[in-house]
DNA sequence: GCCAACGTTGGC
DNA sequence: GCCAACGTTGGC
């Protein structure tokens, strides 16, 4: 089993939105970055654990809780075919889809979120992709030791 | 709202 | 294949 961190702007799709979904499960749609797509397509497996990160959040960005990958495989993101969607990609076609997604299921929302500031202040987490300067990747790997360290900060 | 860092596009 | 222009991300 692997560990990941996935970013979402809470104004667009928050952990509370996920909690309101049927079976607390949702397609992780709208990813339009090749590196993030490749991770979902080639590296994720059902049951992998995910930190649900709120980017561009007020008053501060934070990890809001834990989810898991609940689809067996990645599959084409339907929003790429929908001209009315903000994620529509006219260069993609159904016989040769460009963008893939996985389903994500809520495991739990933290009682109090772990802020980016707290993460940055922990020397054990200095190498996390999240805190690297200029890192914008919205789907990123988390090392097991980083995962455990963050859980230790929550508890 | 600013802007640095990064990714993508498209002319050549 | 280069690279300038443009668009986006996301912290601050």
């Amino acid at each position: 089993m692997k560990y990941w961190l996935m970013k979402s702007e809470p104004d667009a799709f928050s952990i509370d939105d996920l909690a309101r979904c049927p079976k607390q499960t949702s397609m992780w749609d709208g990813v339009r970055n090749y590196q993030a797509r490749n991770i979902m397509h080639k590296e994720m497996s059902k049951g992998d654990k995910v930190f649900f990160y709120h980017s561009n959040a007020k008053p501060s960005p934070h990890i809001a809780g834990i989810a898991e990958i609940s689809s067996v495989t990645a599959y084409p993101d339907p929003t790429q075919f929908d001209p009315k969607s903000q994620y529509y990609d006219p260069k993609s076609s159904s016989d040769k889809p460009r963008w893939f997604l996985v389903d994500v299921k809520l495991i739990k929302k933290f009682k109090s979120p772990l802020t980016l500031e707290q993460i940055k202040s922990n020397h054990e987490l200095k190498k996390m992709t999240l805190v690297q300067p200029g890192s914008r990747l919205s789907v990123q790997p988390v090392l097991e030791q980083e995962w455990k360290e963050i859980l230790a900060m929550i508890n």
Side-chain angles (χ1 to χ4, degrees):
Chain A
M1 184 178 66
K2 293 177 182 171
Y3 301 95
W4 311 98
L5 180 144
M6 297 172 88
K7 299 180 185 175
S8 182
E9 300 197 16
D11 287 347
F13 187 76
S14 71
I15 198 165
D16 291 328
D17 292 327
L18 180 58
R20 284 190 286 269
C21 288
K23 298 181 182 176
Q24 303 195 330
T25 299
S26 174
M27 295 187 289
W28 198 267
D29 60 15
V31 171
R32 295 293 180 270
N33 170 281
Y34 288 105
Q35 203 177 341
R37 177 205 67 179
N38 290 346
I39 288 174
M40 291 196 293
H41 196 21
K42 297 172 181 169
E43 298 189 47
M44 283 181 167
S45 306
K46 188 177 183 191
D48 284 359
K49 298 292 187 284
V50 178
F51 283 135
F52 194 125
Y53 181 81
H54 281 160
S55 59
N56 261 320
K58 292 169 185 170
S60 58
H62 55 267
I63 296 176
I66 298 174
E68 72 176 10
I69 307 304
S70 60
S71 57
V72 176
T73 61
Y75 57 98
D77 180 343
T79 64
Q80 71 194 302
F81 309 126
D82 179 3
K84 293 191 287 290
S85 169
Q86 60 171 319
Y87 301 123
Y88 177 59
D89 183 350
K91 292 177 180 170
S92 186
S93 62
S94 53
D95 56 322
K96 205 174 181 187
R98 177 181 291 202
W99 304 111
F100 289 78
L101 55 69
V102 293
D103 292 340
V104 168
K105 177 183 168 65
L106 180 66
I107 293 182
K108 71 168 171 183
K109 178 184 171 179
F110 294 148
K111 290 191 182 70
S112 58
L114 187 69
T115 65
L116 180 60
E117 189 181 12
Q118 288 175 284
I119 295 167
K120 283 183 168 173
S121 71
N122 185 335
H123 286 216
E124 300 295 319
L125 300 174
K126 265 194 156 45
K127 290 185 177 172
M128 270 193 85
T129 305
L130 183 68
V131 300
Q132 299 314 303
S135 169
R136 306 188 321 197
L137 197 56
S138 67
V139 176
Q140 54 182 259
V142 173
L143 299 179
E144 185 176 9
Q145 67 220 48
E146 294 166 346
W147 182 273
K148 287 178 176 170
E149 182 65 25
I150 286 168
L151 290 187
M153 293 176 79
I154 295 292
N155 300 321

